[in-house]
Structures are given as C-alpha cells and as structure tokens.
Amino acid sequence: MKRKYLLNSYSLTIFLPVLLSVVVLNSAFALPKIEHAKALAKAKNFNVDLLVNGKVTDESGVALPGVTITVKGTTVATTTDPNGVYHIRVPNAQAVLVYTFVGYLSQEVNINGNIVLNVQLKADNKSLNEIIVIGYGSQKRAAVTGAVSSVSGKTLSSLPVGGVDQALQGRVAGLTVVNNGSPGNAPIIQIRGVSSVNSDSNPLYIIDGVPGGIGGIDPRDIQSVDVLKDASSAAIYGSRATNGVIIITTKKGSNNNNVALNVDSYVGFQELTKRYDLLNTQQYVKYERALDGNAFPTPIGVPPRLQDQNFNLPIYPGAKQTFAETNTDWQSAYFKKGVLQQHDVSLSGGGERSRFFTSAGYFDQDGITQGTYYNRKNFRMNSDHNVNKLITIGETFNVSSTRQRFTIDPGNRTGITNVVRMLPYIPVYNPNNPGGFMGPQNSFDGADPVNPVEFALINENRNYGFSIHGNAYLTAKFTPWLTFKSTYGIDYGTNRQEQYTPIFNDGGTGSSPIASITENTNSGTSTLYSQQLTFDKTFAGKHHVSAVAVYEVQTNRGDSQNSFGNQNNNTIRTLQNATNTTTNYTYSTNVLQSLVGRVGYDFEGKYLLSGSIRRDGLSVWAPGHKYQNFPAASIGWKVDQEDFMKDIKSISEFKLRAGYGVTGINGTVLGNYPYVSNVSAGGTTYPFNNLATGVNQGNGSFYNSLSNYSLHWEITKSTNIGFDLGLFQNAFTFSAEVYKRKTDNLILNVPLPPSFGFGSNPNSNVGSMQNIGIELTAGYHKASGDFKYDITGVFGLDRNKVLSLTGSANGSIVSGGDADFGGGGPLTNTVVGQPIQSFYGYVVQGIFQNAAEVSGHATQTGAAPGDLKFKDRDGNGVIDANDREFLGSYLPKFTYSLNYAATYKNFDLSLFFQGVYGNKIFNAEKIILQGMPRLFNASTDVLKAWTPGNTNTDIPRAVSGDPNGNVRPSSRWIESGSYFRLKNLQFGYSLPTTWLKAATNNNINKVRIYLSSTNLFTITKYTGLDPEIGSKNGTLTNGIDYGQYPTPRTFQVGLQATF
Amino acid sequence: MLSTGILLAITLIIFSCKKSALDTSDPNNLTTGNYYKTAAQLKQGVNAIYAILHQNNLVSREWYYLHDTRSDEVAAGGGQLEVPRGQLLNNTDDPTNSVMNSVWNGWYNVIFRANVVTDNAPKVTDNVADVKESVGEAKFLRGWAYFDLVSMWGGVPLVTSVPKSPSEFKPRASVDAVYAQIIQDLTDAAAVLPAKSATDKGRATAAAANAMLGRVLMQKGDFAGAKAAFLKIPTSGPDGYTLTPRYLDNFELATEFNPESIFEVVFVDKGDNGYNWGGESASEEQSTVRNQEYCPVAWRNLIPSNKYLNEFESTATGAAKTDPRFSYSVYQTGDTFNNGNDVLTDGAQNGNSSVVNGVTKKISWRKFMIIYQESASTAGFHPGGNNQRIIRYAEILLDLAECDNELGDISGAVALLNQVRDRADVAMPHYPTAQFPVASKSDVVKAIMHEKMVEMGDEEVRNIDILRWRKAGYFTTEPIANFKPGRDELLPIPQAELDNNPLVAGHQNPGY
C-alpha cells in the first residue's frame, strides 16, 4: 500500500508541465493584446491636459492591484498595476475620478488640480452593488426580489472537502447537506425540505450557464455560488427547479494587465471520531451462554469452537496463539487513519481585450475504513475575449478524472455491521488460506458474520470516472440596451466500474471457487444549445425595464455497456477466454425544449416588479403530456429609497419582497420512458434439461409493471415573503424569509397489492405534500481597524406534511423493512397528516418483571419476564400490527449554523459551527449491537441484559430466537438526532506583504499558512458513530442508521501563495 | 429591432420544427403492445413462470421453509435460525412475517405470469399445438400456485387475468371458488400437456398435472376423483413412472429426472458459489440454497424433529427391522460423507442435539444435501444445483392407498403401502406388522400416516397432509407444538395485501 505520497509525484510530474504549457499558450495570445491596446490608446491622441498618478490601497495600506479608475463622464479609464500604482490622463483640473474595485465601496474624488492622488478604498461588507447571478442573467443585490443566497468561492474552499455539495453544508439558510457514505459518494442535498416522495431531491446545478453534474468541479475554481431557493427566482428553470437551483460561476481572469499564479495546498489526515464498545473474547464466551443457553424453545448447545478441545487449539497450524488467547479488535482492524490532501495551482490574468483563468487540481481522500478512497484530478481553462465593441467570445472548459474504491455491502449487512458482529476470537488473517484471511465457520462457530477486513480488501470495486464540461458563448451587444447571447455547452462523463473477486477461501463464510470479473462502462453526453436576447434600458431616468427571451434545447444520451465473466485463476483479470460470460449494451435519450421569457420593471429603484414564464417540453412523458408552463412573479419595495426613510441614517438598507412561482421535478429522474411497461424479452431464464447456459440462456420473457399513459409533471407552487435589513452602513445585516411550498400530482410508486403479481409498482400522480418554513440570516461585520471580524448566523425551519395520498389503497406507504434490522417490519410509514416517511413501530412501555405482569398485560405472543412490554395502542387486548404508531421524523425541527471569521494583523481565525435540532434517528445499528435475536458478537450492553437477578436495566433478557420480538421496530431504537458540531476551525498566518515582496524581489505577493480541523467536536446524545445519517437507497429510508460510514474528523496544514 | 424580430422568428421556426424530437421511444425493450404475438414468444412467457418458481421467494428457499416450519418434521437447528423462520416454527408469526410474505408474493408472481400467457394465447395463431401446450403449462403452474395459497391461507384473491389498472382489486374468494379454479386449471392442463418423452426435462407433463389434480381432489375430500386422476399416470413404457430401486436416487444430483420423478424444479450450479436472491437476467444464477440452509456442516438451520426421527421402525423399539430410510433421510454423527472420505462428528455439527429412542446425538437432514460428494470446507458456503423433486411416484402410491382406504378398499390400500416398502434398498416387512396391524380402516389410516411420514419426510407434503388429517380427526393429539386452534390452521393474510387491497382489508384470517 505505498500508494500515498504527501506530495503526489503524479500530480507534480503530469500537472505542472500541463499547467506551464497552458500558461505559455494563454500568455501568447493574451499578453500581446495588452501591448496592442496601449498602442490603440495612444493613437487616439487625447487633448491631454494633466497626467494624474497615485497609489490605491486598502484601509490598512496594502496596495490594491486591478482597481479601475475612470474619469467621470468619459470612457477614459485605467487600472492599477501590481503595486497599486496608476497613471491616468484627465481633461481638466476639475475632473472627477471614480475608483471601483470588486469588494470595495467605490469612491469619487475631485482632483482639484492635484497630480498625485493616493486613495484608500473601504471594504464593502454587504455591498448593495454586489452582483447576484440569477437565471439567464445577473442583478444587483438591491434589485433582487426572490430568495437568493450567495456563497463566495473563498468560503467554499475553506473546508477540506472534494465536492461543492459538501462545501455548502451550513452556508445557506434552508439548504441542508447530509453526509451519505464513504469517499466519493455524494451527500444528500435539500433546499427548503422534501418536496417529492420518490424523486431525488437534488437541486439543479447550472455551471456557467449550462446544466450539469458537479462531480468534476474543484471548489477552488469557483468564483461564487448562488442558490435560487424560492420559486419566483427558480421558476425560470421551470420543470427542473422544484428542488432549487444552484448556480455555479467559475473564476475568470482580470483585465489588469497582470498574471497571478496561486498555489493552494494542504495535507492532513482523517480519523474515526467514536467507537462502539464491543465484547472481547472473554465477554463473548460469557454472552454466548447467556443467549444460547436461554434459547427458545429449547437451549442450544455450546458451539463446537467454544468447547475447550477446540478453543485451545492454535488459530491455524503453525500459529502459537490459540483461539482462546486471540482477542481481535475488529474496529481497529477495519477503521484506519486516512490521508487527505489537495493541491491546486491556478493562473489568472489578462489584458484589456482578453482574460483567462486556468487551473490544475488534485484531491485525494483516503477512507477511514479499509478498501475505500477517492481522488480527483482536474484541469480548467476559462477565457473570454472582446473581439470588438459588438462581439465577445468566451469559453469555459473543465476536465476531471476521478478514481474511487468502494465496498459493496454483502447482502444488507454493511461493513460496520460485520465489524460489530465479527467474532473476537477469530484472527483477521490466516496465511494458510487462499487469499490469506480467516472467517468464521457457521456450523462450527454458531454464527455467520463476514470478516469485514477481508470483504473490503479481497473484493476490489473501483470507479474510474472521466468528465468534460465545456461551453462556448458569443455575446453580441447590438446597443447598450440590447444583447444577444448564444451558448453551446457539452457535459460528457464516463465511468468505468470494475469489480473483481479472486479465488479465495477463508475457511468459513467467505469463499469463491472461481474469480469474477465485472466491467461496466457508462457514459452520458448532455448538450445544450441556448439562444438568449436581453433588453435592459432605463427610460426618463426612472423607469427601468429589463427583459429576457430564451430558446433552449438540451439533449441527453446515456450509453451503458456491462460485461461479466469468470476466470479459473487469479492472474488474468480480463475477460479473455473467460467462462460464464455475459454482456449487455443499452442506450437511452431524452430531450428538453424550452422557451423562456422574463420581464422586470422598477421605478426609481424603489418599486420592483418581475414576471417570468417558461414552457418546457420533455420527451420522457407520454404523448399528450409533454408540455407544461411554469410561471412566476415577484414584487419588491426598497423602503430605504423612500424620502421618509432617507433621513434615518441608521438604516442603510430595507427591502420587502414577495414572490410566487410554479416549478416542476426533473422528469428524467424516473428514467427516460417511465410511462411504458416494457417486456424484458429474454430477460430471465430457466435451466430446462439441467442446462444453465446455451439454449436456455435468456429463454424467458416477462414484464412487471403497468403502463401509465397519463403520467405527468409533479408541480410545486410556492410563495415566498421576505425582507432584507441593513443597519449602520450594513455593519448589521439581517434577512428573513417565510415560505410555503405545495407539491401536487406527486409521483409515487403506488404500492399495488402483492396479489396483482407485478414485481414493481407503477409511477402515478397521486397525492400532495407541503412544506412551510422560515429562514433567517443575520450578520455583524466589523471591517475596520486591525481587528476585523465577521459573524454570520443562519437559521432554517421547515415543516413537512403529506396532504393527500390518493393512489395507495389505505393511504399508506411503508418502507425500510429488513430482516436483519428488526425482523422485516417496516421502519417508516408515509401517510396523510404526517411528515414524509415518519418512523413507525411499537411503543415500549418497559420490561416485564414477572409472570403476573405478562399475564396482566394485553396478549403479547411469546412474552415472558424480561421481555419488552409493548403499548396496546388500540386497547383491544392484543398486541398486533394495529398497535404500531408514529415515532417521530428524521426531519429536524430546525437547522442552524454560525460562522465567525476574524483577522488581526497577519493572523486570521475562522470557526464554523453547524447543527440540527429536533430530529429523530432510527438507530437500526443498535439492533445489531444489542438486539440479541441470535448469536453474533455484540455491544457490551448485552452483559446488562435482564435476568431475574438483574432487573434494574433497560436491556431485555437474552434469549436466542427472540420469541417476544424484542428487536421489532419500536421506540426502543428511536434516538434524538440533534447535534451541534464544530464543523471547521481554521487558524492562519500571512507573511507580512511588504517584507515578503522585498525579500523575494517582488516575486511573491502573498503567503499564508494555516492549520485546520473539521468535525473537531460534536455534541449529541446520539449513541451511534455519527448523527449525520443519509439514506440507504433513497427509498424513504432517510435517517435510518443501518451502520453508515461516519463523517470523519480531519486535521490538516495548508499553504496558500500568490506569485 | 429588426434583428430582434428575425431572431424571434428563427427561434419559433426551430421550435416548431423540433417538436417531433420529443417523441422518443425506448430502443432497448419491446413493449406489452408488440410482444406475445407468436407461439415462440408465448413459450418465453411460460419459461418466465418457471423462472419465478425457482427463485428465492419460492422453491430455492422460502417455499420449503414455509412448508417445513408448518409441519412437525423439523426443529430449530440452533441459534442461527432467523427470527421470521423461528416465528413460523413456534406459531408466533404475524402478518409482517417475511418468509410468509415472500411465498405469497412469489406465488402471485407465478399467477400473474401465467395470466399473461392465458390472456395472450387466444390471439396467437402461428403454431396451434405449441400454444396449447404453453397454456397447459401456465395452467398447471397457476393451479399449483393456488393450491399452495388456498391450503395455507384459505380463500385468497382469485386473479385469473392480468390487471389492466391499479384499481382492479380482487376480494378474497371463497375456498370453494379457489378450488374450483384449481381443478379447472389442472384438468385443462392434464388434457393438453404431453408425456415426459415429448418435452424438455423440467416442463410440466400430463402426469404432473394429474398428480397435482389428485392431490387437490384428495385435499377436498373427493377421493374417487383423486384416484381417477392418479390412475391416469402411466406406469410403463417410455412415459411411465416406477419406484427407483435406490431410495437416495430421489435426492441426489446424478439421478435427477429418474423414473420415479414426476415433477422437479430445476437448479444448476454454475460453479461460482452464486445464488440469485431475487434478480432476473438472461444469465441469472440457477442454484438453490437448500443445500446450505439444512446442511449438517453449514447453517443447519432446521434439523429433523425428534417426533419424525422416532417415527421410524427400529429394532430398538421392537420392530422386526430398522427402517433403512432413517439413514437415507438423515445424517447422524459417525456417518461418512464426501464420497466416504470424511466422518461426520458431533463437533462439526453446530447447535441442537436430537433424542432418538432415548439416545441423544446430533442429527441433521440428508435429503437434498450434497455433502455426500463434497467436503465440509466446500460446503461452508455452497448453493447447489440439486433439483427439488416436487412429486415422485412413491407419493402417488401412498396417496392412492389413502384413496382406496377412504373408499373402503382396505386390502387395495395395504397392497399399495407394501409396494412402497418393497423398494429394493428399503425392503421393509409387509403390513401388517406387530406395530401396525391393518385390520380396520382406522388401522390402515395409522399405517398410511406412518408410511407417508417416513417415506416423504421433509419433502414439503407433511404440512398439507396434517391439514387434511386434522380435519378428518385422525390425530389423537395435535401434531403441531404450540398450536392454537382457531388461529394456526391458516397463515395470516400478509400485511402488504391488507394495506394495499381495500377489498381484502378487514378480512384477516381469525386469530390474527
């Protein structure tokens, strides 16, 4: 396992040359143009009166390169050089210079005959002029009437995570991000609650104007992320916008005649934060007797292995240690520390005509469990060019290559479940066995867990992903108020999945007499062709009218090629001359055609109106249901612009907003042909004449669902009301939103009675659901002096309720049942009046202490003293399925986060706290830990099980066979999921700029080093490994801990430098 | 503004031209609208019914668990028996029991696929003979499905055509109505199905349909009808059935489709330890885990009950001869396996011991296990390819004996019983014996009950026999431990059916 190097030699040898060649190429076309522009400027030969020069700095005196200086009322402009110095010719001594720079308040200075003007710019904390990217355009923050939240690229890149989605956790009110597995597995993202039962909750990602996946995007390439949360802003994306829209804008170069090289690098490690307390060998032996000796209906003998004559044998021939002397800590064997590292190099710059941003990045995350890792290499090139006054052309281009190793759980049993269950007296390894591992023999050991280390390492599952995301655009500015933009984008991704199992035999539960090779290649291509006309004009200085019209076509095609075969040796890992080979190839397509229109009007910047409509046509619906309109409207009132408010100096901003809109769920999540019942011709087989292959292969055809030719869009209607308040030059900022979202025509897999005989349930539009919520964002920004800091708090509350379910017979959809986790009964139920997928089961009322208590209670089949007493909810004297009730929801009552960022001179500190409150977790793993239905290793809690002599306990009696069903889904397994977590702590130091520049002869502008940790501590009552619980497979199983890969704690040290 | 107008016009033109681009269709699959049009396609539909039959929900796993745990032939092997199986064994099951739900779902899946064939057949005209045979197979399998359902659940929803909409709910039909359907299906099947030499090994034959029909009529109390059906099974010639001289031929790999075997569910081991937990593909795994579940040196989840083991005649308890079928049916400590190379020890068999004629020892099932030819380490996890014999000729002889006895022909019945005892490697003394006199109908009832248990043990017929014999009052003591009269005669209707079928909701079986 010498795969890891702190500085990966691969990234250095491959990426640096690539990067350098890009630098050369870009410079080759960018820099000469700068010279050209200067020459042009000279040729224009002004009537020059004065040459003004000076230096622009920030409040602390640090030079600001790239500041634009314009002579007011003219087009004469320049920018500051790397040392903040500028020169500009002005027509007369009374000219006014306007200094503008992103992130700073612009300043106007009358030169009053001075020829040297040194200017300090003040940082703009919450700029009203901040540009917000909205669908098909951008707006000043002041003019926004919807609920749009923005996150800067700097904030996003502060966490040591590989993906944009993970980086957004806790940054936006109303946006929840939940960890869902080992490295490389996407988290679950939700904006403003769950609005769909079956369909995925992923928001629509728009990357530089083109919809696409975010898997290949390096957070460090991002300029800003804008989250369109309410329907009035998101409805411009129509049929795909119900889950919200996340618009990602990647970095562009600057026109400052400069080239900056940035290096951003960190190295660290991650580890498990919490462990289970499991039985050791000695405790296990004791527990075995307590459980098997008390089996129902008759005691079970000691498993042969635990009998002295076997237990005192060496663990394998030649070993000195006996089973009795072995005490394997399976948690230490399965969990490990993982190295985490990321290295990015970027180069940006440009001249007056052209600018570019290019970067290369490497991210590598080793899992904290055996056999998991993820790494990504990415390369980006963005540039844009003003061809002339009319035409601008630009492109963005991103390539990424990912590699993931993952585990496929054996059956329903996750690796962590096997860690809990694995027998402590069995060693991890046995060099005598083919494959080198040792497993339990179910007959001999009386238990059949799987060696989790063996399973993770011997089965090799890898994903090799490659994606290209690129777009090119042309903008034609016909007049200052009329612009045409044409965009063509391609998003191509391919993944090759390789699964390999060698010939091995651990002498017990794990063996394979033949090697298996699976090679699956999937690729998807999405193209977008978008034409946009934008009108923007102010009439009579008061009436500002803007309008956008778009025609857009997006096509998708997915191809899938799967192959499988066996080899009778462990040397050949291809399908050359393999046996039992099978292969399959399929493709499918979809097309989305859209017409979009939006009109905005504002009067004196005070009264804002906006209306939009999108008409989408999507191929996946049945004929006659392919088109749908998605309208939206919003209004805003800038109260601060009213005369009566202008005198109130303390209020710097006050805006009221309201909006309404209609959105849909992306129909393609149902597949490309969801309404048709297909015949799987040759899709099954039966071995007549004892022949498994040949003539019988694929000799059966079947179908297993009903067609539904009336399937159509899920429609969400949303209302949003909010306000923004800024006090004391926006030192205090506050935003609040109230929303209501109602989804109609909810698409569900209507559960058919099993007597229909279909293997699957048809999709139908049945039911409706609503979310009501509040979002608050408050901040204080101290931006002057040596000690600057910024506090932002985010609060989100959402209440979900199912309003109707007309499709299922008794208005109930149950899910999550699993024989290992509670005997098979469902763990969640979705019914009208309750939040979606509420936990469902019996209510435990304590433990029967004696026979009289058993007979005095409602009839509970199998109950005896020491068993759990379940509540007779319906009071009919019998404990049965009708006594199950709702036990809580996985949805938090509210979520919150607090971000604190401070700088003192050259030091900086940031703290990011994040938490959820009021949710429940169904701790299904606790059933494995202390359920005791049959013999496996378990938590030490089982030693506290009820016995006649130990009655003061909440663990019921140990009885193999569990006649009372103590493991059944019940309130016993429901725990509070509230947590409060220090998500990130970062402490940095920047070398003094002036010293640095002097010491390096102006070659290095900035160096910052930092120490950082994520998940440093978590406060929670949850007893599992991690309270952040995702979903098993998206099917109404959120918040059930089946032994999920926990969020690790990380520590890292990083370096950022600008050359 | 002219340019704007042109652009908008172009946009609209593009939009209107491209409308057809939205009319996509699945390039990978045929649809219900264009399939099942030929006899060959219909036959593929029939094959798909068999495919369901040998999956995890039915004969490769849950089906034999359900039958076995509802009989008195098995006991828990040890702590590894999973909770839902233990519930069935101990009669503590409820409507959510996963094993029972699986079998219900599996049989209705069979019924749906059979209905696809019977619904589409009338429109297929390219090969009339072939279509007829396909319909016969579909009806045989549908009849079997409903027989299992009605025996274990009573009146069940009677679905005989493919539902066209999600609201085509069917209520529970009466037990008689279900039987009427079964008898019709099996009679139709028997009339059109070929003899075994004229079809693939593993397909339903006329003999299989008559055998199943006989079982059904017997269960209904129509012994004359049952006898007539059984007698249609040929006993000579290439299509005839006869007892094999070696009892173990009925449970081993090399002797699948032997002359005694009337219907088998086919399994094949592809040598990769693969098992199909429920998926379907053109190259799906074809193995059964029965070899795994009951294997003495593997999971050993169910073992023979003491009652079953003590049922065998033994010199230890005064019989003239110890019945050799005991050691053909079960493995006990000291037996050899792996082609005689290994000896089974107590230590190698996890879990519970049995008590036979007062002696405590470890005993496990032998029928259908394949350790007779493989080592313990191979058997650690090895889903096998041993075909499940569903109906064999010995059962027909025993059933005929019961028909004769019920119809008053005691001597005819005894002769049939003795025919079974005459198998070459069994050769048990003829009835009457000291322990089993056959002077009266009730004597013969006892002999039949004895003979069927020792001959057919763990072959998933005992639980059905118990239902019939309990009703006839043949048991002096209830055979099932923890049996609660008024409840445990029938299984509960599965929760998913109650939840999703408004016509069944509120019509649960008594006691649940």
Side-chain angles (χ1 to χ4, degrees), chain A residues 292 296-301 303-304 413 442-448 478 481-482 484 505 508-509 511-514 533 549 551 564 566 580 582 585-589 591-595 617-619 626-627 672-673 675-693 696-704 706-707 751-759 762 764 808-810 812 814 819-820 823-826 842 861-862 880-881 884 933-935 960-963 967, chain B residues 1 3-4 7-8 11-12 14-15 18-19 21-32 35-36 43-45 47-48 50-51 53-55 78-84 90-92 94 96 98 104-105 108-109 112-113 116 137 157 159 162-170 199-203 256-257 264-268 270-273 280-284 286 292 296-299 346-352 362 377 380-381 387 482 484 487 495-502 512:
Chain A
D292 281 350
F296 179 81
T298 48
I300 295 166
R413 298 163 191 175
N442 45 51
S443 57
F444 205 63
D445 291 284
D448 62 348
F478 300 119
W481 43 266
L482 185 67
F484 171 74
N505 190 337
T509 48
S511 71
S512 175
I514 194 162
L533 200 59
Y551 169 66
F564 172 85
N566 292 123
N580 293 331
T582 62
Y585 165 72
T586 58
Y587 79 89
S588 65
T589 61
V591 181
L592 176 70
Q593 284 181 340
S594 312
L595 273 177
L618 180 64
S619 63
K626 291 185 190 286
Y627 290 91
N672 287 332
Y673 320 96
Y675 59 94
V676 189
S677 167
N678 288 315
V679 172
S680 183
T684 189
T685 182
Y686 189 78
F688 294 109
N689 299 313
N690 279 336
L691 301 171
T693 52
N696 288 328
Q697 191 153 323
N699 64 356
S701 304
F702 66 96
Y703 66 97
N704 58 7
L706 278 167
S707 293
L752 293 177
S755 63
F756 273 44
F758 295 114
S764 289
S808 69
N810 68 352
S812 154
V814 295
D820 274 342
Y842 297 85
T861 309
D880 59 19
R884 293 173 299 172
R934 64 184 175 111
L935 185 64
S960 181
D962 192 19
V967 300
Chain B
M1 292 306 271
S3 54
T4 316
L7 276 165
L8 284 173
T11 304
L12 287 171
I14 294 167
F15 195 75
K18 284 247 179 153
K19 255 186 177 174
L22 299 186
D23 296 328
T24 57
S25 62
D26 187 346
N28 311 305
N29 287 298
L30 298 162
T31 65
T32 48
Y35 201 74
Y36 305 114
K43 185 58 82 185
Q44 294 249 317
N47 296 346
Y50 288 95
L53 191 62
H54 82 328
Q55 287 177 3
Q80 290 197 81
L81 187 66
E82 290 155 306
V83 170
N90 301 318
N91 287 311
T92 57
D94 66 26
T96 62
S98 59
W104 173 282
N105 295 351
Y108 272 108
N109 216 184
F112 161 66
R113 291 190 182 181
V116 169
E137 288 178 83
V159 188
V162 176
K164 301 285 186 297
S165 91
S167 55
E168 260 181 55
F169 304 111
K170 290 278 193 293
T199 189
D200 297 323
K201 289 190 177 72
R203 286 196 192 277
E256 290 167 343
F257 302 115
E264 297 183 13
V265 168
V266 189
F267 295 101
V268 176
K270 290 158 87 175
D272 57 358
N273 268 5
E280 282 186 289
S281 76
S283 54
E284 199 53 72
Q286 304 292 328
Q292 191 65 40
V297 294
W299 295 343
D346 247 16
Q349 301 179 80
N350 172 51
N352 295 330
K362 290 215 169 153
S377 67
F381 183 78
N387 291 357
N482 303 316
K484 290 175 288 303
R487 175 191 192 268
Q495 194 65 40
E497 190 70 33
L498 298 171
D499 283 349
N500 300 308
N501 188 338
Y512 292 100

Side-chain angles (χ1 to χ4, degrees), chain A residues 549-563:
Chain A
V550 182
Y551 169 66
E552 196 171 273
V553 180
Q554 189 180 355
T555 62
N556 291 288
R557 177 181 164 123
D559 288 60
S560 171
Q561 170 106 42
N562 304 323
S563 312

Side-chain angles (χ1 to χ4, degrees), chain A residues 822-1047:
Chain A
L827 310 189
T828 72
N829 192 2
T830 300
V831 300
V832 171
Q834 292 285 338
I836 183 170
Q837 66 136 98
S838 293
F839 297 132
Y840 190 61
Y842 297 85
V843 172
V844 174
Q845 290 182 314
I847 291 179
F848 290 120
Q849 297 295 346
N850 50 53
E853 285 188 24
V854 176
S855 56
H857 187 63
T859 307
Q860 198 173 297
T861 309
D867 279 329
L868 294 180
K869 177 160 78 177
F870 297 106
K871 185 173 151 195
D872 186 15
R873 188 184 68 95
D874 60 3
N876 69 346
V878 179
I879 303 301
D880 59 19
N882 296 324
D883 293 313
R884 293 173 299 172
E885 55 191 279
F886 290 95
L887 302 173
S889 171
Y890 81 100
L891 296 164
K893 293 208 163 62
F894 57 84
T895 60
Y896 57 96
S897 67
L898 187 70
N899 195 27
Y900 176 80
T903 57
Y904 178 73
K905 294 189 172 167
N906 290 323
F907 293 94
D908 62 84
L909 172 74
S910 73
L911 292 165
F912 175 42
F913 297 96
Q914 174 253 331
V916 303
Y917 177 81
N919 60 315
K920 299 282 187 252
I921 294 173
F922 196 110
N923 189 353
E925 195 61 19
K926 203 170 171 180
I927 302 178
I928 305 297
L929 286 158
Q930 52 164 252
M932 304 182 280
R934 64 184 175 111
L935 185 64
F936 283 113
N937 197 24
S939 143
T940 53
D941 289 338
V942 299
L943 300 176
K944 295 184 292 193
W946 188 96
T947 62
N950 176 35
T951 58
N952 185 19
T953 176
D954 59 350
I955 309 280
R957 68 183 174 131
V959 49
S960 181
D962 192 19
N964 184 51
N966 289 329
V967 300
R968 72 179 76 183
S970 74
S971 55
R972 181 182 178 193
W973 315 118
I974 305 288
E975 293 188 35
S976 164
S978 304
Y979 71 86
F980 173 72
R981 169 170 276 183
L982 177 53
K983 190 75 190 168
N984 189 31
L985 164 71
Q986 197 170 112
F987 180 68
Y989 175 73
S990 304
L991 298 181
T993 314
T994 40
W995 173 84
L996 184 68
K997 285 187 173 180
T1000 62
N1001 201 15
N1002 271 352
N1003 282 321
I1004 301 179
N1005 289 330
K1006 191 183 151 194
V1007 171
R1008 174 174 176 262
I1009 51 175
Y1010 65 92
L1011 292 168
S1012 167
S1013 171
T1014 59
N1015 302 321
L1016 194 59
F1017 72 81
T1018 303
I1019 299 173
T1020 181
K1021 286 183 187 158
Y1022 183 62
T1023 62
L1025 295 181
D1026 179 21
E1028 223 179 284
I1029 306 295
S1031 160
K1032 191 179 190 185
N1033 43 22
T1035 53
L1036 303 174
T1037 52
N1038 288 283
I1040 302 174
D1041 187 355
Y1042 289 102
Q1044 183 182 279
Y1045 185 95
T1047 314

Side-chain angles (χ1 to χ4, degrees), chain B residues 91-152:
Chain B
N91 287 311
T92 57
D93 51 299
D94 66 26
T96 62
N97 184 282
S98 59
V99 176
M100 170 205 83
N101 272 271
S102 295
V103 174
W104 173 282
N105 295 351
W107 280 130
Y108 272 108
N109 216 184
V110 163
I111 290 164
F112 161 66
R113 291 190 182 181
N115 291 340
V116 169
V117 173
T118 55
D119 279 6
N120 282 286
K123 289 165 281 179
V124 182
T125 52
D126 62 334
N127 184 337
V128 178
D130 205 37
V131 170
K132 241 176 156 176
E133 201 177 301
S134 289
V135 171
E137 288 178 83
K139 286 188 171 178
F140 168 79
L141 295 168
R142 186 168 73 187
W144 181 20
Y146 274 121
F147 181 46
D148 238 34
L149 288 167
V150 77
S151 316
M152 293 194 272

Side-chain angles (χ1 to χ4, degrees), chain A residues 325-343:
Chain A
E325 290 163 353
T326 302
N327 211 337
T328 306
D329 179 348
W330 287 98
Q331 293 187 90
S332 297
Y334 185 66
F335 292 109
K336 61 187 176 67
K337 277 190 183 173
V339 173
L340 180 71
Q341 56 180 328
Q342 182 160 13
H343 310 288

